């Protein structure tokens, strides 16, 4: 298998993107995000794509979050640029004229949960786990999680997940509306492919308009996402952010001081 950070393949009208960093549970660093952006831009330029699927390489993770090692030393300005890049990927997915389906094959945490939620439909393997555990690191979701989670599961449940950092299993994610269906791990890719094939046979102009209308019906999202990116960036350089990320990398619990 290629060692490119994002693998892009086509089968007829359906495109498959695989985040390919399995040794780091497909964590999103700048390079992976840039490759994702480039891959989706390439698909936007193709006139014959009717549906895309995003998944993670390996059997453990969809995407276990933004890359903590590379975030650890970011300044506020660098963190803002990183959040902006994550948002650009999510916005691009939402602006494509065809649906994007997330095939969540394992951990979808932090930026992974955010990537899945930027997709139109989310399908989970029974081994998948979801969560926004950023508060364990002294920061908050920075790629749209504070906004898209409440739009999917309601504001109370979203607050609970963001404030506690709890990680939930696929059945609970389905119960609260975070994913559309849960299927046995071995059947996930075939199931998502079946949905993609079904969508690909519909009128592409109608699908594109359905997507645009359902997205523009929520005009507050871009401003709310900008607010989130600023708050995310502001937390960088605090002692708590440095402690939270150092503790993760040192494999020990964090001790926060509120500073
Ligand atoms: N960023 C960078 N590296 C990550 C990562 C992330 N978000 N998630 C996992 N990794 C790395 C680990 O550091 C480890 O690297 P190493 O082998 O060089 O030590 C490797 O991926 C495997 O992860 P590990 O933690 O050993 O696997 P696990 O099965 O014990 O735990 C998780 C799996 C998902 C529970 C755990 O990796 C985790 O909590 N990840 C971070 C989740 C998170 O906070 N995401 C939000 C980030 S904003």
């Amino acid at each position: 298998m290629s060692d490119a950070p994002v693998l892009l393949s086509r089968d007829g009208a359906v495109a498959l993107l695989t985040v390919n960093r399995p040794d780091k549970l497909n964590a999103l660093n700048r390079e992976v995000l840039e490759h994702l952006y480039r891959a989706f831009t390439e698909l936007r330029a193709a006139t014959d794509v009717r549906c895309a699927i995003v998944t993670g390489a390996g059997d453990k993770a969809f995407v276990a979050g933004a890359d903590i090692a590379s975030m650890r030393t970011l300044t506020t300005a660098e963190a803002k640029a990183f959040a902006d890049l994550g948002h650009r990927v999510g916005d691009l997915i939402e602006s494509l004229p065809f649906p994007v389906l997330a095939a969540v094959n394992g951990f979808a945490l932090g930026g992974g949960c955010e990537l899945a939620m930027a997709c139109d439909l989310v399908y989970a393997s029974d081994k998948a786990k979801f969560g926004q555990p950023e508060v364990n690191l002294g920061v908050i979701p920075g790629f749209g999680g504070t906004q898209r989670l409440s739009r999917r599961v309601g504001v109370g449940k979203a607050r609970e997940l963001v404030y506690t950092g709890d990680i939930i299993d696929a059945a609970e994610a389905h119960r609260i509306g975070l994913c559309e269906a849960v299927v046995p791990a071995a059947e996930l890719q075939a199931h998502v492919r079946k949905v993609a094939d079904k969508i690909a046979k519909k009128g592409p102009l109608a699908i594109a308009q359905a997507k645009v209308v359902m997205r523009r019906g929520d005009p507050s999202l871009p401003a709310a996402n900008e607010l989130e990116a600023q708050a995310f960036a502001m937390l960088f350089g605090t002692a708590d952010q440095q402690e939270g990320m150092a503790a993760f990398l040192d494999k020990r619990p964090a001790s926060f001081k509120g500073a």
Side-chain angles (χ1 to χ4, degrees):
M1 195 189 257
S2 158
D3 59 1
V6 173
L7 309 176
L8 175 58
S9 62
R10 284 281 302 274
D11 185 4
V14 177
L16 177 66
L17 293 93
T18 304
V19 181
N20 186 33
R21 241 190 127 203
D23 56 323
K24 295 292 177 189
L25 305 189
N26 303 320
L28 302 172
N29 58 18
R30 173 164 279 282
E31 191 195 11
V32 177
L33 288 170
E34 281 168 354
H35 275 76
L36 271 175
Y37 191 86
R38 230 173 286 155
F40 280 118
T41 303
E42 193 180 318
L43 293 179
R44 187 174 55 182
T47 52
D48 55 349
V49 176
R50 299 286 178 261
C51 197
I53 299 169
V54 186
T55 196
D59 56 6
K60 208 170 157 187
F62 173 69
V63 166
D67 185 86
I68 299 166
S70 69
M71 282 194 298
R72 183 180 179 176
T73 56
L74 296 183
T75 63
T76 294
E78 289 165 343
K80 177 66 166 58
F82 188 57
D84 287 346
L85 177 58
H87 278 297
R88 277 205 298 282
V89 173
D91 293 347
L92 176 57
I93 291 171
E94 288 188 337
S95 75
L96 292 169
F98 50 81
V100 181
L101 279 40
V104 178
N105 54 312
F107 288 111
L109 304 178
C113 191
E114 292 170 301
L115 176 64
M117 290 190 293
C119 295
D120 293 276
L121 298 169
V122 181
Y123 296 96
S125 115
D126 54 2
K127 293 200 178 118
K129 298 217 185 307
F130 293 79
Q132 295 290 161
E134 288 86 351
V135 289
N136 295 331
L137 304 166
V139 296
I140 62 170
F143 297 167
T146 62
Q147 303 307 313
R148 292 195 180 97
L149 188 57
S150 53
R151 283 162 171 79
R152 264 204 167 252
V153 306
V155 75
K157 205 29 122 175
R159 282 188 190 127
E160 184 179 56
L161 288 168
V162 170
Y163 296 166
T164 62
D166 279 351
I167 292 174
I168 58 173
D169 63 18
E172 175 67 358
H174 186 228
R175 195 187 68 77
I176 66 175
L178 185 44
C179 62
E180 275 51 76
V182 182
V183 294
E187 294 164 27
L188 177 68
Q189 303 301 338
H191 179 84
V192 178
R193 182 57 207 249
K194 217 162 123 188
V195 178
D197 286 342
K198 186 188 273 190
I199 293 170
K201 291 197 184 79
K202 310 299 176 190
L205 300 179
I207 294 285
Q209 287 309 312
K211 181 163 173 168
V212 166
V213 169
M214 289 165 99
R215 168 131 169 77
R216 293 225 184 112
D218 187 6
S220 63
L221 184 62
N225 274 342
E226 172 59 21
L227 194 66
E228 179 196 83
Q230 287 172 12
F232 173 82
M234 210 177 63
L235 291 162
F236 278 75
T238 62
D240 281 355
Q241 173 261 322
Q242 286 170 13
E243 162 63 8
M245 294 190 181
F248 173 80
L249 295 167
D250 297 346
K251 303 188 189 287
R252 63 172 170 81
S255 167
F256 294 117
K257 301 275 186 287

